[in-house]
Amino acid sequence: MAFAPALDALIDAFRVLPGVGQKTAQRMAFHLLQSERQGGQRLAQALGEALERIGHCRQCRMFAEDELCDICRSSRRDARVLCVVESPADVLAVEQNTDFRGRYFVLMGHLSPIDGIGPEELGLDQLRERLRDGEVKELILATGATVEGDATASYIGDLAARHGASATRIAHGVPVGGELEYVDAGTLAQAFSGRRQL
């Protein structure tokens, strides 16, 4: 069935969001037009303002409205320890669930030669400059537990070693409270290979 051109455009616009297919986009569009027009106006205004005002911190590449984000600007954060993550969502996860008090470097992805994503696209030249200035003493590599995340961590670990900084990798394995019988084979194998002395 063909919809009005403006409705088709709205449905297509919702489909740019991750995990939103045709049916979900239709439900969202219909909901806004049928019963949430004011909410739709607020959404449009907030989206427009965010796209106009939010850029990237020049130091860590996190989303920020100013040249530096709040974390990079804070004198309470330890600039000698840098946690390298793949996305802004990872920064939020670390901030909400740990007591980490260092700073971050956000890659905005991971190495993926098949997809044309190399060191330049991840801002690793910028990370190299931060390592070269000597202030960073440790990199905590908090990339995903995937083949690409491991390759990215390995590449950055080598980069850190060339500049005299230590590199550590976050642990992967059995979650707290997890029952071994329910853990998938890959996670269990990773947990065994990464075991440590008590």
mmCIF file with all atom_site columns, all heavy atoms in Angstrom, residues 20-33:
data_model
loop_
_atom_site.group_PDB
_atom_site.id
_atom_site.type_symbol
_atom_site.label_atom_id
_atom_site.label_alt_id
_atom_site.label_comp_id
_atom_site.label_asym_id
_atom_site.label_entity_id
_atom_site.label_seq_id
_atom_site.pdbx_PDB_ins_code
_atom_site.Cartn_x
_atom_site.Cartn_y
_atom_site.Cartn_z
_atom_site.occupancy
_atom_site.B_iso_or_equiv
_atom_site.pdbx_formal_charge
_atom_site.auth_seq_id
_atom_site.auth_comp_id
_atom_site.auth_asym_id
_atom_site.auth_atom_id
_atom_site.pdbx_PDB_model_num
ATOM 1   N N   . VAL A 1 20 ? 15.651 -0.948 13.834 1.00 0.00 ? 20 VAL A N   1
ATOM 2   C CA  . VAL A 1 20 ? 14.316 -0.516 13.435 1.00 0.00 ? 20 VAL A CA  1
ATOM 3   C C   . VAL A 1 20 ? 14.089 -0.904 11.976 1.00 0.00 ? 20 VAL A C   1
ATOM 4   O O   . VAL A 1 20 ? 14.707 -0.361 11.070 1.00 0.00 ? 20 VAL A O   1
ATOM 5   C CB  . VAL A 1 20 ? 14.120 1.012  13.619 1.00 0.00 ? 20 VAL A CB  1
ATOM 6   C CG1 . VAL A 1 20 ? 12.751 1.443  13.108 1.00 0.00 ? 20 VAL A CG1 1
ATOM 7   C CG2 . VAL A 1 20 ? 14.278 1.387  15.082 1.00 0.00 ? 20 VAL A CG2 1
ATOM 8   N N   . GLY A 1 21 ? 13.195 -1.869 11.780 1.00 0.00 ? 21 GLY A N   1
ATOM 9   C CA  . GLY A 1 21 ? 12.832 -2.297 10.436 1.00 0.00 ? 21 GLY A CA  1
ATOM 10  C C   . GLY A 1 21 ? 11.571 -1.598 9.975  1.00 0.00 ? 21 GLY A C   1
ATOM 11  O O   . GLY A 1 21 ? 11.074 -0.663 10.620 1.00 0.00 ? 21 GLY A O   1
ATOM 12  N N   . GLN A 1 22 ? 11.036 -2.066 8.874  1.00 0.00 ? 22 GLN A N   1
ATOM 13  C CA  . GLN A 1 22 ? 9.859  -1.447 8.261  1.00 0.00 ? 22 GLN A CA  1
ATOM 14  C C   . GLN A 1 22 ? 8.662  -1.409 9.213  1.00 0.00 ? 22 GLN A C   1
ATOM 15  O O   . GLN A 1 22 ? 8.040  -0.365 9.390  1.00 0.00 ? 22 GLN A O   1
ATOM 16  C CB  . GLN A 1 22 ? 9.493  -2.198 6.975  1.00 0.00 ? 22 GLN A CB  1
ATOM 17  C CG  . GLN A 1 22 ? 8.308  -1.627 6.229  1.00 0.00 ? 22 GLN A CG  1
ATOM 18  C CD  . GLN A 1 22 ? 8.591  -0.276 5.589  1.00 0.00 ? 22 GLN A CD  1
ATOM 19  O OE1 . GLN A 1 22 ? 9.726  0.057  5.290  1.00 0.00 ? 22 GLN A OE1 1
ATOM 20  N NE2 . GLN A 1 22 ? 7.545  0.516  5.401  1.00 0.00 ? 22 GLN A NE2 1
ATOM 21  N N   . LYS A 1 23 ? 8.334  -2.538 9.844  1.00 0.00 ? 23 LYS A N   1
ATOM 22  C CA  . LYS A 1 23 ? 7.151  -2.599 10.716 1.00 0.00 ? 23 LYS A CA  1
ATOM 23  C C   . LYS A 1 23 ? 7.293  -1.689 11.936 1.00 0.00 ? 23 LYS A C   1
ATOM 24  O O   . LYS A 1 23 ? 6.357  -0.977 12.309 1.00 0.00 ? 23 LYS A O   1
ATOM 25  C CB  . LYS A 1 23 ? 6.893  -4.039 11.177 1.00 0.00 ? 23 LYS A CB  1
ATOM 26  C CG  . LYS A 1 23 ? 6.441  -4.948 10.074 1.00 0.00 ? 23 LYS A CG  1
ATOM 27  C CD  . LYS A 1 23 ? 4.992  -4.683 9.767  1.00 0.00 ? 23 LYS A CD  1
ATOM 28  C CE  . LYS A 1 23 ? 4.479  -5.741 8.800  1.00 0.00 ? 23 LYS A CE  1
ATOM 29  N NZ  . LYS A 1 23 ? 3.184  -5.410 8.280  1.00 0.00 ? 23 LYS A NZ  1
ATOM 30  N N   . THR A 1 24 ? 8.462  -1.721 12.580 1.00 0.00 ? 24 THR A N   1
ATOM 31  C CA  . THR A 1 24 ? 8.675  -0.869 13.752 1.00 0.00 ? 24 THR A CA  1
ATOM 32  C C   . THR A 1 24 ? 8.629  0.600  13.362 1.00 0.00 ? 24 THR A C   1
ATOM 33  O O   . THR A 1 24 ? 8.037  1.429  14.071 1.00 0.00 ? 24 THR A O   1
ATOM 34  C CB  . THR A 1 24 ? 10.021 -1.213 14.423 1.00 0.00 ? 24 THR A CB  1
ATOM 35  O OG1 . THR A 1 24 ? 9.994  -2.591 14.808 1.00 0.00 ? 24 THR A OG1 1
ATOM 36  C CG2 . THR A 1 24 ? 10.266 -0.355 15.648 1.00 0.00 ? 24 THR A CG2 1
ATOM 37  N N   . ALA A 1 25 ? 9.224  0.940  12.233 1.00 0.00 ? 25 ALA A N   1
ATOM 38  C CA  . ALA A 1 25 ? 9.204  2.331  11.755 1.00 0.00 ? 25 ALA A CA  1
ATOM 39  C C   . ALA A 1 25 ? 7.768  2.781  11.488 1.00 0.00 ? 25 ALA A C   1
ATOM 40  O O   . ALA A 1 25 ? 7.389  3.913  11.824 1.00 0.00 ? 25 ALA A O   1
ATOM 41  C CB  . ALA A 1 25 ? 10.059 2.465  10.498 1.00 0.00 ? 25 ALA A CB  1
ATOM 42  N N   . GLN A 1 26 ? 6.957  1.893  10.912 1.00 0.00 ? 26 GLN A N   1
ATOM 43  C CA  . GLN A 1 26 ? 5.552  2.235  10.677 1.00 0.00 ? 26 GLN A CA  1
ATOM 44  C C   . GLN A 1 26 ? 4.823  2.473  11.991 1.00 0.00 ? 26 GLN A C   1
ATOM 45  O O   . GLN A 1 26 ? 4.071  3.452  12.126 1.00 0.00 ? 26 GLN A O   1
ATOM 46  C CB  . GLN A 1 26 ? 4.856  1.103  9.918  1.00 0.00 ? 26 GLN A CB  1
ATOM 47  C CG  . GLN A 1 26 ? 5.193  1.036  8.461  1.00 0.00 ? 26 GLN A CG  1
ATOM 48  C CD  . GLN A 1 26 ? 4.545  -0.164 7.784  1.00 0.00 ? 26 GLN A CD  1
ATOM 49  O OE1 . GLN A 1 26 ? 3.852  -0.969 8.412  1.00 0.00 ? 26 GLN A OE1 1
ATOM 50  N NE2 . GLN A 1 26 ? 4.791  -0.300 6.490  1.00 0.00 ? 26 GLN A NE2 1
ATOM 51  N N   . ARG A 1 27 ? 5.036  1.577  12.977 1.00 0.00 ? 27 ARG A N   1
ATOM 52  C CA  . ARG A 1 27 ? 4.370  1.750  14.277 1.00 0.00 ? 27 ARG A CA  1
ATOM 53  C C   . ARG A 1 27 ? 4.770  3.077  14.922 1.00 0.00 ? 27 ARG A C   1
ATOM 54  O O   . ARG A 1 27 ? 3.926  3.779  15.481 1.00 0.00 ? 27 ARG A O   1
ATOM 55  C CB  . ARG A 1 27 ? 4.722  0.588  15.212 1.00 0.00 ? 27 ARG A CB  1
ATOM 56  C CG  . ARG A 1 27 ? 3.877  -0.639 14.988 1.00 0.00 ? 27 ARG A CG  1
ATOM 57  C CD  . ARG A 1 27 ? 3.984  -1.644 16.125 1.00 0.00 ? 27 ARG A CD  1
ATOM 58  N NE  . ARG A 1 27 ? 5.339  -2.090 16.394 1.00 0.00 ? 27 ARG A NE  1
ATOM 59  C CZ  . ARG A 1 27 ? 5.956  -3.068 15.748 1.00 0.00 ? 27 ARG A CZ  1
ATOM 60  N NH1 . ARG A 1 27 ? 5.354  -3.702 14.765 1.00 0.00 ? 27 ARG A NH1 1
ATOM 61  N NH2 . ARG A 1 27 ? 7.183  -3.407 16.068 1.00 0.00 ? 27 ARG A NH2 1
ATOM 62  N N   . MET A 1 28 ? 6.058  3.425  14.854 1.00 0.00 ? 28 MET A N   1
ATOM 63  C CA  . MET A 1 28 ? 6.515  4.692  15.440 1.00 0.00 ? 28 MET A CA  1
ATOM 64  C C   . MET A 1 28 ? 5.869  5.883  14.738 1.00 0.00 ? 28 MET A C   1
ATOM 65  O O   . MET A 1 28 ? 5.381  6.816  15.390 1.00 0.00 ? 28 MET A O   1
ATOM 66  C CB  . MET A 1 28 ? 8.041  4.798  15.337 1.00 0.00 ? 28 MET A CB  1
ATOM 67  C CG  . MET A 1 28 ? 8.799  3.824  16.183 1.00 0.00 ? 28 MET A CG  1
ATOM 68  S SD  . MET A 1 28 ? 10.556 3.904  15.736 1.00 0.00 ? 28 MET A SD  1
ATOM 69  C CE  . MET A 1 28 ? 11.290 3.486  17.300 1.00 0.00 ? 28 MET A CE  1
ATOM 70  N N   . ALA A 1 29 ? 5.866  5.865  13.426 1.00 0.00 ? 29 ALA A N   1
ATOM 71  C CA  . ALA A 1 29 ? 5.279  6.965  12.662 1.00 0.00 ? 29 ALA A CA  1
ATOM 72  C C   . ALA A 1 29 ? 3.786  7.098  12.952 1.00 0.00 ? 29 ALA A C   1
ATOM 73  O O   . ALA A 1 29 ? 3.279  8.205  13.210 1.00 0.00 ? 29 ALA A O   1
ATOM 74  C CB  . ALA A 1 29 ? 5.526  6.751  11.169 1.00 0.00 ? 29 ALA A CB  1
ATOM 75  N N   . PHE A 1 30 ? 3.060  5.964  12.927 1.00 0.00 ? 30 PHE A N   1
ATOM 76  C CA  . PHE A 1 30 ? 1.632  6.001  13.192 1.00 0.00 ? 30 PHE A CA  1
ATOM 77  C C   . PHE A 1 30 ? 1.352  6.509  14.609 1.00 0.00 ? 30 PHE A C   1
ATOM 78  O O   . PHE A 1 30 ? 0.421  7.274  14.819 1.00 0.00 ? 30 PHE A O   1
ATOM 79  C CB  . PHE A 1 30 ? 1.004  4.619  12.992 1.00 0.00 ? 30 PHE A CB  1
ATOM 80  C CG  . PHE A 1 30 ? 0.991  4.140  11.563 1.00 0.00 ? 30 PHE A CG  1
ATOM 81  C CD1 . PHE A 1 30 ? 0.782  2.807  11.286 1.00 0.00 ? 30 PHE A CD1 1
ATOM 82  C CD2 . PHE A 1 30 ? 1.181  5.006  10.500 1.00 0.00 ? 30 PHE A CD2 1
ATOM 83  C CE1 . PHE A 1 30 ? 0.759  2.340  9.977  1.00 0.00 ? 30 PHE A CE1 1
ATOM 84  C CE2 . PHE A 1 30 ? 1.168  4.564  9.184  1.00 0.00 ? 30 PHE A CE2 1
ATOM 85  C CZ  . PHE A 1 30 ? 0.955  3.222  8.925  1.00 0.00 ? 30 PHE A CZ  1
ATOM 86  N N   . HIS A 1 31 ? 2.142  6.073  15.583 1.00 0.00 ? 31 HIS A N   1
ATOM 87  C CA  . HIS A 1 31 ? 1.938  6.510  16.965 1.00 0.00 ? 31 HIS A CA  1
ATOM 88  C C   . HIS A 1 31 ? 2.108  8.026  17.084 1.00 0.00 ? 31 HIS A C   1
ATOM 89  O O   . HIS A 1 31 ? 1.273  8.697  17.704 1.00 0.00 ? 31 HIS A O   1
ATOM 90  C CB  . HIS A 1 31 ? 2.911  5.791  17.894 1.00 0.00 ? 31 HIS A CB  1
ATOM 91  C CG  . HIS A 1 31 ? 2.820  6.257  19.310 1.00 0.00 ? 31 HIS A CG  1
ATOM 92  N ND1 . HIS A 1 31 ? 1.786  5.917  20.147 1.00 0.00 ? 31 HIS A ND1 1
ATOM 93  C CD2 . HIS A 1 31 ? 3.632  7.077  20.031 1.00 0.00 ? 31 HIS A CD2 1
ATOM 94  C CE1 . HIS A 1 31 ? 1.952  6.485  21.321 1.00 0.00 ? 31 HIS A CE1 1
ATOM 95  N NE2 . HIS A 1 31 ? 3.066  7.200  21.277 1.00 0.00 ? 31 HIS A NE2 1
ATOM 96  N N   . LEU A 1 32 ? 3.167  8.555  16.498 1.00 0.00 ? 32 LEU A N   1
ATOM 97  C CA  . LEU A 1 32 ? 3.387  10.002 16.585 1.00 0.00 ? 32 LEU A CA  1
ATOM 98  C C   . LEU A 1 32 ? 2.251  10.780 15.928 1.00 0.00 ? 32 LEU A C   1
ATOM 99  O O   . LEU A 1 32 ? 1.776  11.783 16.473 1.00 0.00 ? 32 LEU A O   1
ATOM 100 C CB  . LEU A 1 32 ? 4.719  10.392 15.934 1.00 0.00 ? 32 LEU A CB  1
ATOM 101 C CG  . LEU A 1 32 ? 5.977  10.037 16.698 1.00 0.00 ? 32 LEU A CG  1
ATOM 102 C CD1 . LEU A 1 32 ? 7.212  10.413 15.886 1.00 0.00 ? 32 LEU A CD1 1
ATOM 103 C CD2 . LEU A 1 32 ? 6.013  10.734 18.051 1.00 0.00 ? 32 LEU A CD2 1
ATOM 104 N N   . LEU A 1 33 ? 1.830  10.327 14.776 1.00 0.00 ? 33 LEU A N   1
ATOM 105 C CA  . LEU A 1 33 ? 0.789  11.058 14.053 1.00 0.00 ? 33 LEU A CA  1
ATOM 106 C C   . LEU A 1 33 ? -0.590 10.879 14.671 1.00 0.00 ? 33 LEU A C   1
ATOM 107 O O   . LEU A 1 33 ? -1.409 11.796 14.633 1.00 0.00 ? 33 LEU A O   1
ATOM 108 C CB  . LEU A 1 33 ? 0.768  10.611 12.587 1.00 0.00 ? 33 LEU A CB  1
ATOM 109 C CG  . LEU A 1 33 ? 2.032  10.972 11.794 1.00 0.00 ? 33 LEU A CG  1
ATOM 110 C CD1 . LEU A 1 33 ? 1.986  10.334 10.416 1.00 0.00 ? 33 LEU A CD1 1
ATOM 111 C CD2 . LEU A 1 33 ? 2.193  12.479 11.700 1.00 0.00 ? 33 LEU A CD2 1
#
